[in-house]
Amino acid sequence: MKPFDIVIVGGGGAGLYAAMEAMKTNPGLNIAVLSKIYPNRSHTSAAQGGANAALANKAKDDTVEMHIFDTIKGSDYLADQDAVEVLCSEAPKIIRELDNMGTPWSRMDDKTIAQRPFGGAGRPRCCYCADKTGHTILQTLYEQCLRKGVFFFNEYFALELSVDGSRSRGLIAMNIKTGKVEAFPAKTVVFATGGYAKMYWNRSSNAAGNTGDGQAIAYRAGIPLKDMEFVQFHPTGLRKSGLLVTEGARGEGGYLVNALGERFMSRYAPEKMELGPRDLVSRSLETEILEGRGFDSPAGKYLHLDLRHLGADIIKSRLPQIREMCMYFEGVDPIDDPVPVRPTAHYSMGGIDTDNYGRTIMEGVYAAGECGCVSVHGANRLGGNSLLDILVFGRITGRAAAEEASRFNPSPIPPSEVAEKEQELRSFMQPRGHYERYGTLREDLGHSLGANVGIFREASKIKQGIKDIESLKDRFQHVRVFDTGDVYNTNLIQVLELKNMLDLSETVAEGALAREESRGSHTRTDFPTRDDEKWHKHSIYTYEEGRPKLAYKPVTMGRYELQERTY
Amino acid sequence: MSDSTIQHHEESRDVTFRVHRFNPQVDSKPYFDDYTIKLEKGITVLRALNYIKEHVDPTLTFRAFCQAGICGSCAMRINNMSKLACTTQVWDELDKAREPGVIKIEPLRNLPHIKDLVVEMDPLVGKMKKYSNWVDSKMPESNWGKKEFLVSEEEFLTYDKATDCILCASCVSECTILRAHKEYVSPAVLLKSYRMNADSRDGIHDQRLAGLVQDHGVWDCTHCYRCQETCVKNIPIMDAIHGIREDAIERRGTKDTSGARHAEAFMDDIEKKGRLVEATLPIRTNGLAWTLKNLLPMAVKMIIKRRTPPPPPLVKASKGIQSLRKELKEMASHVAKDHEKKSGE
């Protein structure tokens, strides 16, 4: 097979923007987007709230500079300031670009793009389309990629990078519809596979497939990961399902209330109240529950998000999807009843270590979006910055990959590598005397991480978590795929996803144990304060003999000095 | 665990899922498997299927991703209607079950079958491409990102509902025309076409419309409303289809499509007789040569079975035809006034 110029793994916002920008950079390029689902179903569609950009449509005095500062402060000063500068300066341009290609933004009376307030932001700068922003952006990008003739390989599962010394030769993937393992020789590979927060399985807002496939493949190929211990819990997951109620609901004026009827955020963020940053609000909810001021139910303890005072009109026009979800999954209509919520694992700040162009240490390999770690979110991401991240860095990475693809010619992928991979997949289907089911392992992993490496962490608990992961990895040796067929074998896919989650969960736990401080989403009850002297640095993990080896690297500073973070 | 003791208070019962099975590698034809599991009230069909896959039969194959009703992966037929498994409550379906306690689960229709509950989505993507289901911006690409278009909230509202579409293909699955003609544009693609055409930022309105009035296009829809009744996002798909038709007649007249000519012949008959002169409809719609070639064999069969409509001379004007004509004239003048107003704006 003639090599592709670019193989993009993942068809969400970052992957599609990268594909589109690469086509714009050089229309002659041969670009493939591989997705384990159909691109229009990617998890980008679940992002409800919006994307930040200092357009100053709503608050005339908003500036890019303020957006930069809010982001750095929100990150608890762990973000690289040069990267944040790129993110925020590109933001107005990219929102307008999306508008120019057909994204249906909600509008203000003067016909410009509407903006609403979001947590941790000094001005209302979140651009949105009702509560379906991610969905409409994803559809727009997919439509534009179809228009431009990007070549899609839908329902392909990425297995492994083919590496030649310090360079990648391309990717090995399985066609889910046929079960065939295929080589995708490529001059450049871009990982855009999204986050890994589904490892918290039952307590996660993520789609079933957010299993960190891209990070796991890169990690096992020797590419370092960064800041994996920072997993963000979103304050308002639905009690039963963990599904998300957008921060937009609080942006529109929703209150958080405990079992005593108190608007308890006055205790934790007297100024910002419900619009404090996510790490702080999540901890506040968890504290209320731990101190006995939550409601009790068979599905666990919870608190109330009260939207009733917004009135039926606002709820129906600005939060229609949220209303539907509350009715489908909790049986409450937010017009009449408060919504039962509790924090849920939501976003992975960590990911594949890249520079500001999405480049990794391996030649020809890039990463963008939640899959990568530039890092613009540091220890805690602000709402409305994740869509922005995938758009801005999807585009930059697409351009960089297109430029590199015009310069390089990799060696071909040896057929033996494909055959070996095929053999490995078959081995999961061998009958074995004692076997394990993926469903059980997956659930045990989620429970252990939630209990031991969740919102509040301490050494003894994290150690227990690490022990659990080790034992789960042993049990995984006995996992069996019962579906022995080739066609659309979802049983096999789920086992492969579990393997990825197990490898990554080890980096999360090891990183959390090592980091003896509290910063952003990482809260150590045994080290409750931020320790800049020892820990103002990025964690770096390299795969060595099946385990993560930890190292550190400095945070890039800029004009903002370290400050205490209050809201 | 305290959790499980409390959960005993929830109503629970045995539910049978009768699931369509087919693995092309080993089965020569599809069959049904019954899975009976104990479930608590409040469980969705998707959670029940996940339970079956994890604890009863790992080979059972279906798609699911976001599990929150926004990605469209888990669309399937549940008790003879296409729905998202993730937003469908088992208890609601038990009320609708034909056989007590049995919920029938089948793959979507009108798309090629792959395995168990999984169907091929590529034909839908192919049609999105064929009918240019994207905004082809009036702004040249080299200028993208410099300034935003000005779009009124009013305009946004005309396609706001249409942008809810998650391409789950439930409407595609229930479409009666697609069952006869796989080439038919399909309701989902019509909806998207409508949304693009209504967008003032788009520059290929006329080109898209020209495609939509061709064979297998917008005129093939028979108004059965199944798409709209099925839509998991409650999108008024028929309004969109009507919108494209009105747009087509306004912009292109009735000259170039069999559907538009059919509609015109229809109106003509009503005006003259108050009822259809069915025998000559095909000739007036598609011409004599086409009718002889395509419909004569069927007409012969219909004559043999005595199913033919009365010959044209026997179609008498309806009673009250005078007042009907008067009303039609009035309506026509209202429509003309509306059009004048519109073009004057």
Side-chain angles (χ1 to χ4, degrees), chain A residues 38 99-100 102-103 113 132 135 143 147 155 177 442 483 486, chain B residues 25 54 120 122 137 141 145 148-149 160 163-164 192 195 201:
Chain A
Y38 276 81
D99 168 69
N100 295 162
T103 301
I113 296 167
K132 53 179 172 179
H135 161 75
E143 289 153 14
R147 178 172 83 90
E155 311 206 300
K177 285 170 191 166
R442 211 166 56 177
D483 189 340
D486 297 322
Chain B
Q25 255 184 321
E54 273 162 40
E120 180 65 77
D122 287 352
S137 184
E141 248 177 48
E148 61 201 84
F149 280 103
D160 180 25
T163 66
D164 284 358
K192 274 188 90 77
R195 173 255 175 280
R201 297 169 294 182

PDB file of all heavy atoms in Angstrom, chain A residues 38 99-100 102-103 113 132 135 143 147 155 177 442 483 486, chain B residues 25 54 120 122 137 141 145 148-149 160 163-164 192 195 201:
ATOM      1  N   TYR A  38     -18.420   6.066  14.003  1.00  0.00           N
ATOM      2  CA  TYR A  38     -18.561   7.036  12.919  1.00  0.00           C
ATOM      3  C   TYR A  38     -18.233   8.407  13.501  1.00  0.00           C
ATOM      4  O   TYR A  38     -18.663   8.704  14.618  1.00  0.00           O
ATOM      5  CB  TYR A  38     -19.990   7.006  12.352  1.00  0.00           C
ATOM      6  CG  TYR A  38     -20.159   5.921  11.313  1.00  0.00           C
ATOM      7  CD1 TYR A  38     -20.369   4.608  11.698  1.00  0.00           C
ATOM      8  CD2 TYR A  38     -20.047   6.218   9.965  1.00  0.00           C
ATOM      9  CE1 TYR A  38     -20.486   3.596  10.746  1.00  0.00           C
ATOM     10  CE2 TYR A  38     -20.159   5.225   9.007  1.00  0.00           C
ATOM     11  CZ  TYR A  38     -20.388   3.917   9.401  1.00  0.00           C
ATOM     12  OH  TYR A  38     -20.490   2.942   8.458  1.00  0.00           O
ATOM     13  N   ASP A  99     -18.005  29.846  12.460  1.00  0.00           N
ATOM     14  CA  ASP A  99     -19.199  30.556  12.004  1.00  0.00           C
ATOM     15  C   ASP A  99     -19.198  30.650  10.481  1.00  0.00           C
ATOM     16  O   ASP A  99     -20.197  30.377   9.827  1.00  0.00           O
ATOM     17  CB  ASP A  99     -19.240  31.960  12.610  1.00  0.00           C
ATOM     18  CG  ASP A  99     -20.293  32.827  11.949  1.00  0.00           C
ATOM     19  OD1 ASP A  99     -21.478  32.539  12.140  1.00  0.00           O
ATOM     20  OD2 ASP A  99     -19.920  33.758  11.217  1.00  0.00           O
ATOM     21  N   ASN A 100     -18.041  30.972   9.915  1.00  0.00           N
ATOM     22  CA  ASN A 100     -17.947  31.130   8.459  1.00  0.00           C
ATOM     23  C   ASN A 100     -18.218  29.821   7.728  1.00  0.00           C
ATOM     24  O   ASN A 100     -18.655  29.820   6.589  1.00  0.00           O
ATOM     25  CB  ASN A 100     -16.554  31.668   8.073  1.00  0.00           C
ATOM     26  CG  ASN A 100     -16.300  33.066   8.601  1.00  0.00           C
ATOM     27  OD1 ASN A 100     -15.166  33.508   8.667  1.00  0.00           O
ATOM     28  ND2 ASN A 100     -17.350  33.780   8.991  1.00  0.00           N
ATOM     29  N   GLY A 102     -20.342  27.509   8.880  1.00  0.00           N
ATOM     30  CA  GLY A 102     -21.723  27.064   9.050  1.00  0.00           C
ATOM     31  C   GLY A 102     -22.148  26.584  10.426  1.00  0.00           C
ATOM     32  O   GLY A 102     -23.249  26.072  10.571  1.00  0.00           O
ATOM     33  N   THR A 103     -21.312  26.732  11.458  1.00  0.00           N
ATOM     34  CA  THR A 103     -21.763  26.329  12.790  1.00  0.00           C
ATOM     35  C   THR A 103     -22.925  27.218  13.243  1.00  0.00           C
ATOM     36  O   THR A 103     -22.836  28.436  13.166  1.00  0.00           O
ATOM     37  CB  THR A 103     -20.613  26.450  13.809  1.00  0.00           C
ATOM     38  OG1 THR A 103     -19.546  25.619  13.360  1.00  0.00           O
ATOM     39  CG2 THR A 103     -21.045  25.986  15.195  1.00  0.00           C
ATOM     40  N   ILE A 113     -22.599  36.616  17.548  1.00  0.00           N
ATOM     41  CA  ILE A 113     -22.599  35.360  18.294  1.00  0.00           C
ATOM     42  C   ILE A 113     -22.841  35.619  19.787  1.00  0.00           C
ATOM     43  O   ILE A 113     -22.196  36.474  20.385  1.00  0.00           O
ATOM     44  CB  ILE A 113     -21.249  34.627  18.083  1.00  0.00           C
ATOM     45  CG1 ILE A 113     -21.108  34.246  16.596  1.00  0.00           C
ATOM     46  CG2 ILE A 113     -21.135  33.409  18.969  1.00  0.00           C
ATOM     47  CD1 ILE A 113     -19.715  33.812  16.192  1.00  0.00           C
ATOM     48  N   LYS A 132     -26.225  22.313  22.896  1.00  0.00           N
ATOM     49  CA  LYS A 132     -25.768  21.279  21.967  1.00  0.00           C
ATOM     50  C   LYS A 132     -24.559  21.782  21.188  1.00  0.00           C
ATOM     51  O   LYS A 132     -24.379  21.451  20.013  1.00  0.00           O
ATOM     52  CB  LYS A 132     -26.910  20.903  21.026  1.00  0.00           C
ATOM     53  CG  LYS A 132     -27.538  22.107  20.320  1.00  0.00           C
ATOM     54  CD  LYS A 132     -28.665  21.733  19.371  1.00  0.00           C
ATOM     55  CE  LYS A 132     -29.340  23.017  18.893  1.00  0.00           C
ATOM     56  NZ  LYS A 132     -30.436  22.805  17.961  1.00  0.00           N
ATOM     57  N   HIS A 135     -22.106  19.111  19.783  1.00  0.00           N
ATOM     58  CA  HIS A 135     -22.810  18.369  18.736  1.00  0.00           C
ATOM     59  C   HIS A 135     -22.828  19.148  17.429  1.00  0.00           C
ATOM     60  O   HIS A 135     -22.504  18.602  16.366  1.00  0.00           O
ATOM     61  CB  HIS A 135     -24.238  18.057  19.226  1.00  0.00           C
ATOM     62  CG  HIS A 135     -25.203  17.720  18.148  1.00  0.00           C
ATOM     63  ND1 HIS A 135     -25.204  16.500  17.507  1.00  0.00           N
ATOM     64  CD2 HIS A 135     -26.195  18.440  17.581  1.00  0.00           C
ATOM     65  CE1 HIS A 135     -26.165  16.484  16.596  1.00  0.00           C
ATOM     66  NE2 HIS A 135     -26.777  17.646  16.616  1.00  0.00           N
ATOM     67  N   GLU A 143     -19.252  17.612   8.213  1.00  0.00           N
ATOM     68  CA  GLU A 143     -19.788  18.052   6.922  1.00  0.00           C
ATOM     69  C   GLU A 143     -18.684  18.663   6.058  1.00  0.00           C
ATOM     70  O   GLU A 143     -18.577  18.359   4.868  1.00  0.00           O
ATOM     71  CB  GLU A 143     -20.888  19.106   7.151  1.00  0.00           C
ATOM     72  CG  GLU A 143     -22.183  18.550   7.739  1.00  0.00           C
ATOM     73  CD  GLU A 143     -22.976  19.585   8.557  1.00  0.00           C
ATOM     74  OE1 GLU A 143     -22.667  20.800   8.461  1.00  0.00           O
ATOM     75  OE2 GLU A 143     -23.895  19.179   9.281  1.00  0.00           O
ATOM     76  N   ARG A 147     -17.152  17.535   2.504  1.00  0.00           N
ATOM     77  CA  ARG A 147     -17.079  18.467   1.387  1.00  0.00           C
ATOM     78  C   ARG A 147     -15.695  18.457   0.759  1.00  0.00           C
ATOM     79  O   ARG A 147     -15.540  18.487  -0.451  1.00  0.00           O
ATOM     80  CB  ARG A 147     -17.408  19.889   1.877  1.00  0.00           C
ATOM     81  CG  ARG A 147     -17.312  20.969   0.806  1.00  0.00           C
ATOM     82  CD  ARG A 147     -17.835  22.318   1.309  1.00  0.00           C
ATOM     83  NE  ARG A 147     -16.862  23.057   2.061  1.00  0.00           N
ATOM     84  CZ  ARG A 147     -16.002  23.931   1.542  1.00  0.00           C
ATOM     85  NH1 ARG A 147     -16.017  24.179   0.259  1.00  0.00           N
ATOM     86  NH2 ARG A 147     -15.126  24.548   2.296  1.00  0.00           N
ATOM     87  N   GLU A 155     -15.089   2.871  11.806  1.00  0.00           N
ATOM     88  CA  GLU A 155     -15.104   1.617  12.532  1.00  0.00           C
ATOM     89  C   GLU A 155     -13.821   0.797  12.294  1.00  0.00           C
ATOM     90  O   GLU A 155     -13.857  -0.355  11.900  1.00  0.00           O
ATOM     91  CB  GLU A 155     -16.400   0.846  12.215  1.00  0.00           C
ATOM     92  CG  GLU A 155     -17.613   1.774  12.379  1.00  0.00           C
ATOM     93  CD  GLU A 155     -18.929   1.100  12.718  1.00  0.00           C
ATOM     94  OE1 GLU A 155     -19.406   0.268  11.936  1.00  0.00           O
ATOM     95  OE2 GLU A 155     -19.467   1.418  13.800  1.00  0.00           O
ATOM     96  N   LYS A 177     -15.449  -4.160  10.990  1.00  0.00           N
ATOM     97  CA  LYS A 177     -16.491  -4.862  10.220  1.00  0.00           C
ATOM     98  C   LYS A 177     -16.019  -6.211   9.680  1.00  0.00           C
ATOM     99  O   LYS A 177     -16.837  -7.098   9.447  1.00  0.00           O
ATOM    100  CB  LYS A 177     -16.977  -3.984   9.071  1.00  0.00           C
ATOM    101  CG  LYS A 177     -17.892  -2.863   9.541  1.00  0.00           C
ATOM    102  CD  LYS A 177     -18.173  -1.857   8.434  1.00  0.00           C
ATOM    103  CE  LYS A 177     -18.866  -0.636   9.020  1.00  0.00           C
ATOM    104  NZ  LYS A 177     -18.874   0.495   8.092  1.00  0.00           N
ATOM    105  N   ARG A 442     -13.577  -4.318  34.489  1.00  0.00           N
ATOM    106  CA  ARG A 442     -13.815  -2.925  34.179  1.00  0.00           C
ATOM    107  C   ARG A 442     -14.509  -2.213  35.346  1.00  0.00           C
ATOM    108  O   ARG A 442     -14.155  -1.108  35.729  1.00  0.00           O
ATOM    109  CB  ARG A 442     -14.733  -2.925  32.969  1.00  0.00           C
ATOM    110  CG  ARG A 442     -14.646  -1.837  32.026  1.00  0.00           C
ATOM    111  CD  ARG A 442     -15.389  -2.202  30.760  1.00  0.00           C
ATOM    112  NE  ARG A 442     -16.787  -2.571  30.989  1.00  0.00           N
ATOM    113  CZ  ARG A 442     -17.635  -2.876  30.013  1.00  0.00           C
ATOM    114  NH1 ARG A 442     -17.233  -2.883  28.772  1.00  0.00           N
ATOM    115  NH2 ARG A 442     -18.872  -3.183  30.286  1.00  0.00           N
ATOM    116  N   ASP A 483     -16.581 -14.314  21.871  1.00  0.00           N
ATOM    117  CA  ASP A 483     -16.975 -14.212  20.473  1.00  0.00           C
ATOM    118  C   ASP A 483     -15.734 -14.526  19.641  1.00  0.00           C
ATOM    119  O   ASP A 483     -14.774 -13.760  19.650  1.00  0.00           O
ATOM    120  CB  ASP A 483     -17.488 -12.789  20.183  1.00  0.00           C
ATOM    121  CG  ASP A 483     -18.126 -12.680  18.811  1.00  0.00           C
ATOM    122  OD1 ASP A 483     -17.854 -13.551  17.961  1.00  0.00           O
ATOM    123  OD2 ASP A 483     -18.891 -11.724  18.585  1.00  0.00           O
ATOM    124  N   ASP A 486     -15.002 -13.066  13.234  1.00  0.00           N
ATOM    125  CA  ASP A 486     -14.241 -11.940  12.703  1.00  0.00           C
ATOM    126  C   ASP A 486     -15.113 -10.701  12.547  1.00  0.00           C
ATOM    127  O   ASP A 486     -14.642  -9.585  12.701  1.00  0.00           O
ATOM    128  CB  ASP A 486     -13.671 -12.303  11.322  1.00  0.00           C
ATOM    129  CG  ASP A 486     -12.698 -13.462  11.407  1.00  0.00           C
ATOM    130  OD1 ASP A 486     -11.934 -13.507  12.389  1.00  0.00           O
ATOM    131  OD2 ASP A 486     -12.722 -14.327  10.517  1.00  0.00           O
TER     132      ASP A 486
ATOM    133  N   GLN B  25     -20.949 -14.971   9.212  1.00  0.00           N
ATOM    134  CA  GLN B  25     -19.894 -15.982   9.107  1.00  0.00           C
ATOM    135  C   GLN B  25     -20.422 -17.397   9.330  1.00  0.00           C
ATOM    136  O   GLN B  25     -19.871 -18.348   8.811  1.00  0.00           O
ATOM    137  CB  GLN B  25     -18.806 -15.691  10.147  1.00  0.00           C
ATOM    138  CG  GLN B  25     -17.559 -15.110   9.528  1.00  0.00           C
ATOM    139  CD  GLN B  25     -16.474 -14.934  10.557  1.00  0.00           C
ATOM    140  OE1 GLN B  25     -16.734 -14.554  11.695  1.00  0.00           O
ATOM    141  NE2 GLN B  25     -15.252 -15.196  10.174  1.00  0.00           N
ATOM    142  N   GLU B  54     -22.760  -8.765  29.108  1.00  0.00           N
ATOM    143  CA  GLU B  54     -21.735  -9.030  30.108  1.00  0.00           C
ATOM    144  C   GLU B  54     -21.966 -10.310  30.898  1.00  0.00           C
ATOM    145  O   GLU B  54     -21.025 -10.951  31.344  1.00  0.00           O
ATOM    146  CB  GLU B  54     -21.630  -7.846  31.073  1.00  0.00           C
ATOM    147  CG  GLU B  54     -20.674  -6.792  30.550  1.00  0.00           C
ATOM    148  CD  GLU B  54     -20.867  -5.458  31.223  1.00  0.00           C
ATOM    149  OE1 GLU B  54     -21.096  -5.436  32.447  1.00  0.00           O
ATOM    150  OE2 GLU B  54     -20.797  -4.426  30.526  1.00  0.00           O
ATOM    151  N   GLU B 120     -25.148  -1.264   8.355  1.00  0.00           N
ATOM    152  CA  GLU B 120     -24.158  -0.439   7.658  1.00  0.00           C
ATOM    153  C   GLU B 120     -24.663   0.996   7.542  1.00  0.00           C
ATOM    154  O   GLU B 120     -25.785   1.221   7.087  1.00  0.00           O
ATOM    155  CB  GLU B 120     -23.951  -1.049   6.264  1.00  0.00           C
ATOM    156  CG  GLU B 120     -22.978  -0.343   5.380  1.00  0.00           C
ATOM    157  CD  GLU B 120     -21.568  -0.386   5.910  1.00  0.00           C
ATOM    158  OE1 GLU B 120     -20.914  -1.456   5.784  1.00  0.00           O
ATOM    159  OE2 GLU B 120     -21.131   0.643   6.448  1.00  0.00           O
ATOM    160  N   ASP B 122     -22.847   3.453   5.924  1.00  0.00           N
ATOM    161  CA  ASP B 122     -22.223   4.135   4.785  1.00  0.00           C
ATOM    162  C   ASP B 122     -23.201   4.680   3.736  1.00  0.00           C
ATOM    163  O   ASP B 122     -22.961   5.754   3.189  1.00  0.00           O
ATOM    164  CB  ASP B 122     -21.185   3.219   4.113  1.00  0.00           C
ATOM    165  CG  ASP B 122     -19.931   3.065   4.962  1.00  0.00           C
ATOM    166  OD1 ASP B 122     -19.823   3.792   5.978  1.00  0.00           O
ATOM    167  OD2 ASP B 122     -19.071   2.217   4.633  1.00  0.00           O
ATOM    168  N   SER B 137     -19.774  27.874   2.093  1.00  0.00           N
ATOM    169  CA  SER B 137     -19.807  29.244   2.585  1.00  0.00           C
ATOM    170  C   SER B 137     -19.703  30.298   1.491  1.00  0.00           C
ATOM    171  O   SER B 137     -18.949  30.144   0.527  1.00  0.00           O
ATOM    172  CB  SER B 137     -18.668  29.441   3.584  1.00  0.00           C
ATOM    173  OG  SER B 137     -18.728  30.721   4.129  1.00  0.00           O
ATOM    174  N   GLU B 141     -12.652  30.761   1.496  1.00  0.00           N
ATOM    175  CA  GLU B 141     -11.882  30.128   2.574  1.00  0.00           C
ATOM    176  C   GLU B 141     -10.709  30.977   3.054  1.00  0.00           C
ATOM    177  O   GLU B 141     -10.369  30.973   4.228  1.00  0.00           O
ATOM    178  CB  GLU B 141     -11.376  28.772   2.106  1.00  0.00           C
ATOM    179  CG  GLU B 141     -12.039  27.642   2.849  1.00  0.00           C
ATOM    180  CD  GLU B 141     -11.609  26.280   2.345  1.00  0.00           C
ATOM    181  OE1 GLU B 141     -10.398  26.034   2.182  1.00  0.00           O
ATOM    182  OE2 GLU B 141     -12.510  25.464   2.120  1.00  0.00           O
ATOM    183  N   GLY B 145     -12.490  33.271   9.368  1.00  0.00           N
ATOM    184  CA  GLY B 145     -11.924  33.592  10.678  1.00  0.00           C
ATOM    185  C   GLY B 145     -11.744  35.080  10.910  1.00  0.00           C
ATOM    186  O   GLY B 145     -11.437  35.500  12.010  1.00  0.00           O
ATOM    187  N   GLU B 148     -17.276  37.567  11.794  1.00  0.00           N
ATOM    188  CA  GLU B 148     -18.423  36.676  11.799  1.00  0.00           C
ATOM    189  C   GLU B 148     -19.516  37.190  10.869  1.00  0.00           C
ATOM    190  O   GLU B 148     -19.599  38.381  10.591  1.00  0.00           O
ATOM    191  CB  GLU B 148     -18.955  36.515  13.227  1.00  0.00           C
ATOM    192  CG  GLU B 148     -19.438  37.798  13.862  1.00  0.00           C
ATOM    193  CD  GLU B 148     -19.462  37.705  15.392  1.00  0.00           C
ATOM    194  OE1 GLU B 148     -18.396  37.939  15.997  1.00  0.00           O
ATOM    195  OE2 GLU B 148     -20.516  37.416  15.964  1.00  0.00           O
ATOM    196  N   PHE B 149     -20.327  36.268  10.354  1.00  0.00           N
ATOM    197  CA  PHE B 149     -21.518  36.658   9.620  1.00  0.00           C
ATOM    198  C   PHE B 149     -22.500  37.265  10.624  1.00  0.00           C
ATOM    199  O   PHE B 149     -22.481  36.921  11.805  1.00  0.00           O
ATOM    200  CB  PHE B 149     -22.198  35.426   9.020  1.00  0.00           C
ATOM    201  CG  PHE B 149     -21.565  34.931   7.749  1.00  0.00           C
ATOM    202  CD1 PHE B 149     -20.752  33.806   7.751  1.00  0.00           C
ATOM    203  CD2 PHE B 149     -21.812  35.559   6.536  1.00  0.00           C
ATOM    204  CE1 PHE B 149     -20.186  33.327   6.584  1.00  0.00           C
ATOM    205  CE2 PHE B 149     -21.254  35.091   5.362  1.00  0.00           C
ATOM    206  CZ  PHE B 149     -20.436  33.969   5.383  1.00  0.00           C
ATOM    207  N   ASP B 160     -32.860  25.827  13.757  1.00  0.00           N
ATOM    208  CA  ASP B 160     -32.418  25.377  15.079  1.00  0.00           C
ATOM    209  C   ASP B 160     -32.825  23.920  15.339  1.00  0.00           C
ATOM    210  O   ASP B 160     -32.000  23.075  15.670  1.00  0.00           O
ATOM    211  CB  ASP B 160     -33.029  26.306  16.144  1.00  0.00           C
ATOM    212  CG  ASP B 160     -32.647  25.929  17.552  1.00  0.00           C
ATOM    213  OD1 ASP B 160     -31.581  25.297  17.708  1.00  0.00           O
ATOM    214  OD2 ASP B 160     -33.386  26.258  18.500  1.00  0.00           O
ATOM    215  N   THR B 163     -30.916  21.269  13.410  1.00  0.00           N
ATOM    216  CA  THR B 163     -29.548  20.965  13.829  1.00  0.00           C
ATOM    217  C   THR B 163     -29.514  20.038  15.038  1.00  0.00           C
ATOM    218  O   THR B 163     -28.450  19.638  15.482  1.00  0.00           O
ATOM    219  CB  THR B 163     -28.739  22.243  14.160  1.00  0.00           C
ATOM    220  OG1 THR B 163     -29.312  22.875  15.303  1.00  0.00           O
ATOM    221  CG2 THR B 163     -28.710  23.210  13.007  1.00  0.00           C
ATOM    222  N   ASP B 164     -30.680  19.677  15.572  1.00  0.00           N
ATOM    223  CA  ASP B 164     -30.717  18.663  16.635  1.00  0.00           C
ATOM    224  C   ASP B 164     -30.424  17.256  16.096  1.00  0.00           C
ATOM    225  O   ASP B 164     -30.148  16.344  16.859  1.00  0.00           O
ATOM    226  CB  ASP B 164     -32.117  18.617  17.285  1.00  0.00           C
ATOM    227  CG  ASP B 164     -32.362  19.789  18.220  1.00  0.00           C
ATOM    228  OD1 ASP B 164     -31.443  20.598  18.386  1.00  0.00           O
ATOM    229  OD2 ASP B 164     -33.471  19.889  18.770  1.00  0.00           O
ATOM    230  N   LYS B 192     -31.427  17.588   6.547  1.00  0.00           N
ATOM    231  CA  LYS B 192     -30.144  18.305   6.518  1.00  0.00           C
ATOM    232  C   LYS B 192     -30.098  19.267   5.333  1.00  0.00           C
ATOM    233  O   LYS B 192     -29.580  20.372   5.454  1.00  0.00           O
ATOM    234  CB  LYS B 192     -28.985  17.310   6.453  1.00  0.00           C
ATOM    235  CG  LYS B 192     -28.563  16.814   7.842  1.00  0.00           C
ATOM    236  CD  LYS B 192     -27.295  15.990   7.806  1.00  0.00           C
ATOM    237  CE  LYS B 192     -26.027  16.786   7.962  1.00  0.00           C
ATOM    238  NZ  LYS B 192     -25.735  17.221   9.339  1.00  0.00           N
ATOM    239  N   ARG B 195     -31.963  22.313   6.226  1.00  0.00           N
ATOM    240  CA  ARG B 195     -31.201  23.130   7.166  1.00  0.00           C
ATOM    241  C   ARG B 195     -30.127  23.953   6.438  1.00  0.00           C
ATOM    242  O   ARG B 195     -29.930  25.120   6.734  1.00  0.00           O
ATOM    243  CB  ARG B 195     -30.574  22.211   8.232  1.00  0.00           C
ATOM    244  CG  ARG B 195     -29.603  22.878   9.200  1.00  0.00           C
ATOM    245  CD  ARG B 195     -28.175  22.489   8.845  1.00  0.00           C
ATOM    246  NE  ARG B 195     -27.175  23.169   9.654  1.00  0.00           N
ATOM    247  CZ  ARG B 195     -26.764  24.414   9.436  1.00  0.00           C
ATOM    248  NH1 ARG B 195     -27.291  25.141   8.477  1.00  0.00           N
ATOM    249  NH2 ARG B 195     -25.821  24.949  10.176  1.00  0.00           N
ATOM    250  N   ARG B 201     -25.754  31.841   5.199  1.00  0.00           N
ATOM    251  CA  ARG B 201     -24.307  31.833   4.981  1.00  0.00           C
ATOM    252  C   ARG B 201     -23.908  30.925   3.816  1.00  0.00           C
ATOM    253  O   ARG B 201     -22.786  30.933   3.352  1.00  0.00           O
ATOM    254  CB  ARG B 201     -23.587  31.375   6.259  1.00  0.00           C
ATOM    255  CG  ARG B 201     -23.794  32.305   7.428  1.00  0.00           C
ATOM    256  CD  ARG B 201     -23.312  31.705   8.730  1.00  0.00           C
ATOM    257  NE  ARG B 201     -24.101  30.543   9.131  1.00  0.00           N
ATOM    258  CZ  ARG B 201     -23.905  29.856  10.241  1.00  0.00           C
ATOM    259  NH1 ARG B 201     -22.933  30.198  11.061  1.00  0.00           N
ATOM    260  NH2 ARG B 201     -24.671  28.820  10.531  1.00  0.00           N
TER     261      ARG B 201
END
